[in-house]
Amino acid sequence: MLIQGYYPEVGGAERQLASLAPRLRDRNLSVTVYARHKPGLPALEHIEGVPVHRLGATGPKAARSLSYTVAVLRHLQRDPPDVIHAHDLFSPTTTALLARRLLRVPVAVKVVRGGSLGDLRWLERRNFGRQRVSWICQKVDRFVVISEEINEELAARGVVKQRRALIPNGVDCERFFPIEAGEKAALREQLGLPAGPIVVYAGRLAREKRVEDLVTVWPAIREHDPLATLLVVGTGEQESFLRRAGTDGVVFTGAVADVAPYLRAADIFALPSVAEGLSNALLEAMASGLACIATDVGAAPELITSGHSGLLIAPESPQVLKQQIMTLLDDPVLREALGSRARMHVGEYFSLESVAGKLERLYHELVRSD
């Protein structure tokens, strides 16, 4: 597994792989993770039985990428794998394709995000980006596709159906689950959270997540419901800006070791992103039985049937976001119904066990066809 970062980093791709790797190991697959070096983290450690190498050097971006690639290739030459699985189209994929040529090993690549800010379009905007995308689309043995949006983007660039494996992200429904009202009140007290209705955002505090839309509309929501709290769980480059913009009723947790209790303690989940792949945070909120409001981007339409298992809104529409939050604050019966159906849907179609099984079959197919 080649990936930019790994646990304890808390981005969606990192969390997804950290959840899947032990389950793949339990299926008698030998999994090794190669991530980039991070200051303060060991060069090698075993996490849930999975060896994690953090390689490369600090310094300018280009130097970091090159040193990561060189270090990974040295490791792979010493211990050649049967399959290389790269997570995102950037240095992990470049490294994987160089290893493919050097070692003649099949490569699977997961495109982690689609849309205007997604992997493909971002890469195409870089110097020689179109040539790089063309090279990737020609050489990768199989793309792991997590949304119909990404599927269509790859098809438009000439990747035939047989090289596109539709395998979504998964969620641990034993770790993320709903609780009764009495348990929720006790949990809120334990976490130091207020007793009124809570709307939660959980994830990276990055520009494309548009958390600022939630913060901007919160004074109007507090006027509508003076006890409502916006709970912002996570950290990122926009944290300082958002904290300065925060008003009464907005609570920031910063980075947390475990997001699950905060989701269980909340009533509504909001995800106002302008670009996504298949949001792990949305999967986790749905598994936690929350009524979810999400923008109609990435795989959200494949997760949510609007009005049945959540609510979908157009991106960059803060007034609609405000109205939908108010609707759910005013209607606990609707909240309960949406959350219950959301939990059932992800449990049936997006379990980690199901995703691990699909990946295992993919790896065996790649080895047989190599």
Side-chain angles (χ1 to χ4, degrees), residues 177-191 261 264-266:
F177 55 87
I179 57 177
E180 300 296 330
E183 295 175 288
K184 185 170 292 193
L187 180 58
R188 287 185 180 184
E189 185 174 352
Q190 179 184 333
L191 295 173
R264 284 196 287 274

Side-chain angles (χ1 to χ4, degrees), residues 23-40:
R23 286 169 171 79
L24 293 170
R25 184 208 59 200
D26 290 345
R27 291 171 175 266
N28 295 317
L29 297 176
S30 175
V31 179
T32 303
V33 175
Y34 294 96
R36 285 196 183 197
H37 164 76
K38 296 291 180 181

Side-chain angles (χ1 to χ4, degrees), residues 97-171:
L97 289 179
L98 291 173
R100 178 183 185 270
R101 182 172 182 176
L102 184 67
L103 303 174
R104 302 189 181 279
V105 175
V107 166
V109 168
K110 178 179 179 178
V111 184
V112 301
R113 185 170 59 176
S116 60
L117 298 177
D119 290 10
L120 286 160
R121 295 189 193 178
W122 189 92
L123 193 54
E124 286 173 339
R125 290 193 290 267
R126 311 295 290 177
N127 291 334
F128 305 105
R130 291 188 179 276
Q131 296 92 324
R132 191 172 168 188
V133 167
S134 177
W135 174 64
I136 290 169
C137 288
Q138 290 174 32
K139 297 300 183 181
V140 167
D141 295 282
R142 201 72 58 88
F143 286 93
V144 175
V145 179
I146 60 174
S147 73
E148 187 55 39
E149 179 180 54
I150 293 171
N151 194 39
E152 292 172 1
E153 290 175 357
L154 288 168
R157 288 160 176 81
V159 179
V160 297
K161 183 178 181 180
Q162 292 79 1
R163 292 173 54 225
R164 308 190 313 261
L166 296 170
I167 302 176
N169 289 342
V171 63

Side-chain angles (χ1 to χ4, degrees), residues 237-264:
E237 65 267 22
Q238 281 213 307
E239 183 174 0
S240 296
F241 164 75
L242 291 167
R243 284 182 180 271
R244 289 194 301 270
T247 59
D248 287 345
V250 181
V251 175
F252 294 88
T253 68
V256 299
D258 186 5
V259 71
Y262 293 91
L263 293 176
R264 284 196 287 274

Side-chain angles (χ1 to χ4, degrees), residues 172-180 183 260 263-265 284-290 343:
D172 186 346
C173 291
E174 294 182 1
R175 180 181 166 209
F176 295 95
F177 55 87
I179 57 177
E180 300 296 330
E183 295 175 288
L263 293 176
R264 284 196 287 274
E284 291 162 0
M286 293 176 74
S288 300
L290 296 183
R343 165 78 182 179

Side-chain angles (χ1 to χ4, degrees), residues 254-335:
V256 299
D258 186 5
V259 71
Y262 293 91
L263 293 176
R264 284 196 287 274
D267 301 289
I268 299 165
F269 176 81
L271 182 65
S273 303
V274 294
E276 286 286 350
L278 196 165
S279 169
N280 291 287
L282 180 56
L283 279 172
E284 291 162 0
M286 293 176 74
S288 300
L290 296 183
C292 296
I293 303 169
T295 43
D296 190 0
V297 298
E302 296 156 53
L303 284 174
I304 291 176
T305 301
S306 196
H308 178 77
S309 53
L311 299 174
L312 293 175
I313 62 173
E316 298 185 271
S317 54
Q319 294 309 307
V320 178
L321 175 65
K322 178 186 72 175
Q323 287 302 130
Q324 296 290 48
I325 290 173
M326 289 180 177
T327 295
L328 291 181
L329 288 173
D330 292 342
D331 195 338
V333 174
L334 177 60
R335 291 202 307 265

